[in-house]
Amino acid sequence: MIFQISQVQIGQRIIELRKRKQLSQEDLAKMVGISRPSLTQVELGKRSLNIMELQKFAQVLGFSLDDFMSEDFMPEAINFSEEEKPKTINERISVPSLQIGKFKNILLYILERCAGKPNVGETVLYKLLYFSDFNYYELYEEHLTGANYRKLPYGPVPQNLDIIMNNMIENNQVQRFKTEYHGYPQTRYLPLEKADLTGLLASEKEVIDKVIEQMSDWSASAVSNYSHKDIPWMASKDGEEINYELAFYREPPFSVRNYEEDVEL
């Protein structure tokens, strides 16, 4: 019987070899010519490699394809000289920094589009902000607003939002009011001024618009339940900050990036 290696096994072997060679994901991704999120998908066994890509990995990590694809492949048998090891190893860490002005204008824009919908209270608003931020980061590896989100029982919530909202209320940018929706108490916001979108990239607005189109008609319970199935929320501990890097571990229908065709030029 001919042994056939699975995508998961390929990913596990690449992880072992990368770590033995003391390379970060970002280092290896650059060396083989794919994006870091794509390498993450390879290592998880969720993205296949063609023969040309495998040859590039073999060249960079120092293995033969015949050995690598065999059933008894032993990563520890490959020796790396000290000269081959990079002197400094820095794994990329996402450190968002809140852009308050941009965050306020994106919030105003979402309210302009959605405040008239009776279902859009605080819960739905929080999730529209979350998916806008995390979808943009997954697509472009850059932060949209730089907001930090915390895992709370009803889904991800941007930190310090109360402070920002109170400031916007004091400056007559938004109005807060209490109401009921289907018998439940609801906190809602109305925009009192137009959003300034001059500092927004076309790609940023496109991501926000897609999130609004997809989710702005959902009920609070529906959007909360959906967010609870998103890997960044699931992989975080209760009450802790959600790491943006977890967006690269998403699966359909949450993933917004095509990893099969995602090759860095």
Side-chain angles (χ1 to χ4, degrees):
M1 181 177 177
I2 299 175
F3 174 73
Q4 291 190 343
I5 187 171
S6 69
Q7 284 186 200
V8 171
Q9 288 173 305
I10 289 174
Q12 291 172 342
R13 292 178 180 188
I14 287 175
I15 290 173
E16 291 184 60
L17 290 169
R18 174 174 64 78
K19 290 182 176 179
R20 286 184 61 80
K21 200 162 184 179
Q22 299 182 24
L23 292 172
S24 70
Q25 281 190 330
E26 190 169 14
D27 291 331
L28 180 56
K30 287 179 179 178
M31 294 169 77
V32 298
I34 64 174
S35 70
R36 199 204 68 81
S38 287
L39 177 59
T40 298
Q41 295 290 307
V42 170
E43 292 188 346
L44 288 170
K46 295 176 180 178
R47 180 191 186 283
S48 61
L49 292 172
N50 60 41
I51 188 62
M52 296 299 292
E53 289 173 325
L54 265 176
Q55 287 176 342
K56 189 66 176 178
F57 274 96
Q59 182 181 22
V60 171
L61 294 175
F63 61 80
S64 75
L65 287 181
D66 286 342
D67 288 342
F68 184 82
M69 302 301 286
S70 68
E71 184 175 7
D72 56 354
F73 178 68
M74 302 288 287
E76 59 271 21
I78 298 178
N79 295 316
F80 303 117
S81 67
E82 291 299 317
E83 290 76 19
E84 290 178 312
K85 297 177 182 178
K87 294 181 180 180
T88 58
I89 306 300
N90 295 310
E91 187 76 41
R92 172 178 170 163
I93 299 175
S94 166
V95 184
S97 178
L98 178 61
Q99 303 175 61
I100 295 178
K102 189 175 185 181
F103 183 88
K104 288 180 177 179
N105 280 300
I106 288 175
L107 193 149
L108 283 171
Y109 176 67
I110 292 175
L111 288 175
E112 284 176 22
R113 294 277 312 273
C114 305
K117 299 184 178 186
N119 61 298
V120 180
E122 276 187 334
T123 300
V124 175
L125 181 62
Y126 295 162
K127 305 309 172 286
L128 295 178
L129 288 165
Y130 164 79
F131 280 105
S132 293
D133 269 317
F134 275 72
N135 287 5
Y136 190 82
Y137 190 78
E138 185 191 357
L139 278 169
Y140 299 105
E141 301 181 55
E142 299 288 344
H143 292 289
L144 177 58
T145 69
N148 291 295
Y149 290 80
R150 195 168 294 280
K151 179 178 179 176
L152 296 181
Y154 294 103
V157 175
Q159 297 185 52
N160 302 317
L161 185 59
D162 285 345
I163 296 173
I164 295 172
M165 281 300 197
N166 288 335
N167 178 261
M168 294 179 75
I169 291 169
E170 291 173 5
N171 292 325
N172 294 315
Q173 294 175 296
V174 298
Q175 177 185 351
R176 177 194 289 135
F177 64 97
K178 304 286 186 178
T179 184
E180 283 191 2
Y181 183 64
H182 292 316
Y184 292 95
Q186 184 189 59
T187 300
R188 300 187 55 162
Y189 297 92
L190 288 176
L192 300 179
E193 66 176 50
K194 284 193 66 65
D196 180 3
L197 302 182
T198 55
L200 211 61
L201 299 174
S203 59
E204 295 174 329
K205 185 175 180 296
E206 181 182 17
V207 168
I208 298 166
D209 285 339
K210 284 183 178 179
V211 169
I212 290 172
E213 290 165 12
Q214 179 187 2
M215 304 178 190
S216 64
D217 291 319
W218 294 2
S219 67
S221 60
V223 76
S224 289
N225 290 337
Y226 186 75
S227 71
H228 289 177
K229 297 173 184 175
D230 193 17
I231 286 293
W233 190 89
M234 292 175 63
S236 302
K237 295 182 179 179
D238 291 343
E240 287 190 352
E241 186 177 306
I242 301 173
N243 190 334
Y244 274 86
E245 297 293 308
L246 293 170
F248 301 132
Y249 291 79
R250 285 169 153 178
E251 297 179 344
F254 298 93
S255 179
V256 293
R257 188 167 181 165
N258 187 339
Y259 293 94
E260 292 295 330
E261 299 177 359
D262 186 15
V263 179
E264 288 186 342
L265 299 177

